[in-house]
Amino acid sequence: MIDQSRIRNFSIIAHIDHGKSTLADRLLEETNTVAQRNMRAQALDDMDLERERGITIKAHAIRMDYKSPSGKLYQLNLIDTPGHVDFTYEVSRSLAACEGALLVVDASQGIEAQTVSNLYLALESDLEILPVLNKVDLPSARPDEITEQIIDLLGCEIEDVIHCSAKSGVGIPELLEAIVKKVPEPKGDRDAPLRALIFDSVFDSYKGAAAYIRVVDGVMKLHDQLQFFAHDKKFDADEIGFRKLKNHKVKEIGAGEVGYLYAGIKEVSETKVGDTITAAENPASEPLPGFIPIKPMVFSGIYPATSEEYTALRDALEKLKLNDSALTFTPESSVALGFGFRCGFLGLLHMEIVTERLSREFDQTIINTVPNVEYIVHTNKGDTVTVDSPAELPAASDIDYLEEPMVDASIITPAEYIGGIMKLATERRGQFKNTEYLTTDRVNLTFIFPLAEVIFDFYDKLKSISRGYASFDYGLPVYQRGKVIKLDVMLNGDPVDALSVIIHRDKAYHYGVALTDKLRSLIPRQLYEVAIQAAIGSKIIARCSVKAMRKNVTAKCYGGDISRKRKLLEKQKAGKKRMKMVGSVEVPQEAFLAALQIER
């Protein structure tokens, strides 16, 4: 077992597309962790989706053995982090398992919103920050200007900024030396009771759930009986080890080391990210700080395209949940869509990934309902109810007030786009907080936004306004009282629950008119008139009609008394009225997709 003074645990934090995965590849190559013949781009990213989108979805941990020019052998543990705002909590737990972080900044793009957000997370964990200027060999690189930005942000010296190119390998040996010299050694006590932090977990079909762990105090030995603080369950350590690109089994993992644990755990949900593991025989008195149970922030109904696919969809979701503890789902039924599931996601990207994987890996054709966030409802009786679906909302007469989730958001943009971004923020009910000039032409704008306004298409709109230059990041939500109401859509007086939304009162009229107008063009004509209405409680705020298909019943009347024609028309009118009472209107799938695209 290596001496604790020669262990270095570090993470790489960066904005999307600043070269985090490529830098990890070069470090693996330079330390001979991966042979040249086995090397591939984004070596730590396993999923096709990660490779296509160029983002990290699942965190990874890998051990590298590095021999410094002085001849000393060091153990470097790289704890990779997911690269999106949806996974902020996982990033914070990965950082809690480290002593240092490489802050990677693109030499052509400069500091972005997620760079700042992840930097604050790293500083909260009291990590040693190593600033790294990547892509210095690009023709569009501005190393001097971006170095100034980093110095302003961190307050470091110019010689502290390491210049490198992850693609060509320039500056990688200097970076490894800086990690060894500047990242502190772990401070854990090997003789104390065992405390190990879970920073990620995956599922293996044969062995069960694997917990990726950082041992903070004590020693974890093979076949020890272990106890989890979050649920007090006990398991035996069937296999422990560390990861290079493959698992390597060992007999024990000591304080300061990073590894994995198999303990015959059947579900990933039992290896909660942020939980503390201790020994059952000699337990620690208290867990490691910072554990929060992961809560979904965005909710959407997922329904099979045909009712026969319901069982297959349930099986697919259960298999996905084995690898994704943040995904939640419960059965629900809709008059319009039949039987399906109410699913909870960390954010819109997480929702996209799950639906994409259902389509690719399980060959499911699904319909998504309008995404919603979770609201806290205070009733007139003094009760508090949490709802994530319009169908669960109590009657308007029973509600005292609602609270909606609000998030602190940061937008970093070139100064020329401030006007357009301010207008967009006002439209999305953003409360302006502060403007901070990072450089003469780059601004950090901070707002408080309702989460419901930013989870859907806000990011796309922001990129359009700023021509792709603005970046956006937000934190965990807090609840505030808001003027939100339920908007129902009715066809011939019958509510279509799958089209109902919870929306701000000031935007309800605009959305109701736009939705009823869109539905008029999508719902096929029937033999009777179809009334489409948008309503708040019993008050109709928008209405339009799909005209009936008509047969000319008076064609056979040549001349004669007008009363004969009137009699036929009245007979036809009575027949249509009877049909309207017993007929049901089929809502096509396109109507649900159209509802998703209407500007709120």
Side-chain angles (χ1 to χ4, degrees), residues 104-122:
V104 179
V105 179
D106 188 318
S108 59
Q109 294 181 34
I111 289 166
E112 307 263 15
Q114 219 172 326
T115 320
V116 178
S117 173
N118 285 342
L119 171 66
Y120 288 150
L121 284 176

Side-chain angles (χ1 to χ4, degrees), residues 70 87 139 167 216 406 435 576 599:
S70 63
F87 308 108
K167 197 158 227 175
V216 177
M406 309 289 283
T435 302
K576 287 189 181 294
E599 176 74 43

Side-chain angles (χ1 to χ4, degrees), residues 531-543:
I532 305 166
Q533 296 167 311
I536 299 168
S538 57
K539 183 184 177 185
I540 307 297
I541 60 166
R543 177 202 158 109

Side-chain angles (χ1 to χ4, degrees), residues 212-254:
Y212 288 143
I213 55 169
R214 152 74 197 275
V215 180
V216 177
D217 292 317
V219 178
M220 183 183 287
K221 295 180 179 175
L222 193 64
H223 306 309
D224 275 358
Q225 193 178 47
L226 305 172
Q227 185 174 323
F228 290 66
F229 269 95
H231 47 63
D232 284 334
K233 291 186 180 177
K234 294 178 181 178
F235 298 96
D236 291 331
D238 297 335
E239 179 183 328
I240 56 175
F242 62 88
R243 277 182 62 82
K244 288 207 168 172
L245 269 191
K246 292 182 179 173
N247 289 350
H248 294 261
K249 299 178 189 177
V250 293
K251 295 276 179 66
E252 62 180 53
I253 304 176

Side-chain angles (χ1 to χ4, degrees), residues 251-283:
K251 295 276 179 66
E252 62 180 53
I253 304 176
E257 291 189 273
V258 174
Y260 68 87
L261 162 72
Y262 282 107
I265 302 167
K266 298 289 189 290
E267 293 182 15
V268 170
S269 56
E270 291 183 336
T271 55
K272 296 180 187 295
V273 172
D275 192 11
T276 304
I277 302 174
T278 189
E281 286 183 14
N282 181 24

Side-chain angles (χ1 to χ4, degrees), residues 36-284:
Q36 188 71 44
R37 66 178 181 275
N38 296 331
M39 196 64 203
R40 59 174 188 172
Q42 289 177 258
L44 294 181
D45 293 342
D46 302 328
M47 287 185 227
D48 291 339
L49 268 172
E50 290 181 309
R51 299 176 166 281
E52 283 171 26
R53 291 181 177 230
I55 56 173
T56 301
I57 295 166
K58 283 294 280 181
H60 297 274
I62 195 156
R63 180 182 289 190
M64 299 175 280
D65 295 320
Y66 169 64
K67 194 167 188 179
S68 76
S70 63
K72 289 183 179 177
L73 185 68
Y74 290 90
Q75 182 193 111
L76 307 183
N77 291 308
L78 165 59
I79 300 172
D80 198 13
T81 56
H84 196 272
V85 60
D86 284 5
F87 308 108
T88 302
Y89 175 67
E90 283 91 329
V91 174
S92 74
R93 294 304 85 207
S94 293
L95 294 176
C98 304
E99 279 78 38
L102 308 184
L103 181 71
V104 179
V105 179
D106 188 318
S108 59
Q109 294 181 34
I111 289 166
E112 307 263 15
Q114 219 172 326
T115 320
V116 178
S117 173
N118 285 342
L119 171 66
Y120 288 150
L121 284 176
L123 291 173
E124 279 172 26
S125 299
D126 201 23
L127 303 191
E128 180 68 33
I129 308 295
L130 273 65
V132 179
L133 191 63
N134 190 23
K135 306 188 187 181
V136 291
D137 56 347
L138 284 181
S140 58
R142 299 169 288 145
D144 296 338
E145 185 185 329
I146 308 302
T147 301
E148 284 296 323
Q149 286 185 20
I150 295 171
I151 291 167
D152 288 345
L153 182 67
L154 291 177
C156 59
E157 301 297 326
I158 193 164
E159 56 271 14
D160 294 335
V161 182
I162 301 156
H163 290 225
C164 75
S165 167
K167 197 158 227 175
S168 63
V170 172
I172 300 300
E174 291 81 357
L175 178 58
L176 283 164
E177 270 302 290
I179 291 168
V180 165
K181 286 175 182 169
K182 294 184 180 179
V183 174
E185 63 186 68
K187 293 187 175 67
D189 181 0
R190 285 180 63 87
D191 300 321
L194 172 67
R195 289 200 302 172
L197 171 73
I198 300 175
F199 60 85
D200 195 22
S201 54
V202 294
F203 189 80
D204 184 291
S205 304
Y206 302 101
K207 299 177 185 175
Y212 288 143
I213 55 169
R214 152 74 197 275
V215 180
V216 177
D217 292 317
V219 178
M220 183 183 287
K221 295 180 179 175
L222 193 64
H223 306 309
D224 275 358
Q225 193 178 47
L226 305 172
Q227 185 174 323
F228 290 66
F229 269 95
H231 47 63
D232 284 334
K233 291 186 180 177
K234 294 178 181 178
F235 298 96
D236 291 331
D238 297 335
E239 179 183 328
I240 56 175
F242 62 88
R243 277 182 62 82
K244 288 207 168 172
L245 269 191
K246 292 182 179 173
N247 289 350
H248 294 261
K249 299 178 189 177
V250 293
K251 295 276 179 66
E252 62 180 53
I253 304 176
E257 291 189 273
V258 174
Y260 68 87
L261 162 72
Y262 282 107
I265 302 167
K266 298 289 189 290
E267 293 182 15
V268 170
S269 56
E270 291 183 336
T271 55
K272 296 180 187 295
V273 172
D275 192 11
T276 304
I277 302 174
T278 189
E281 286 183 14
N282 181 24

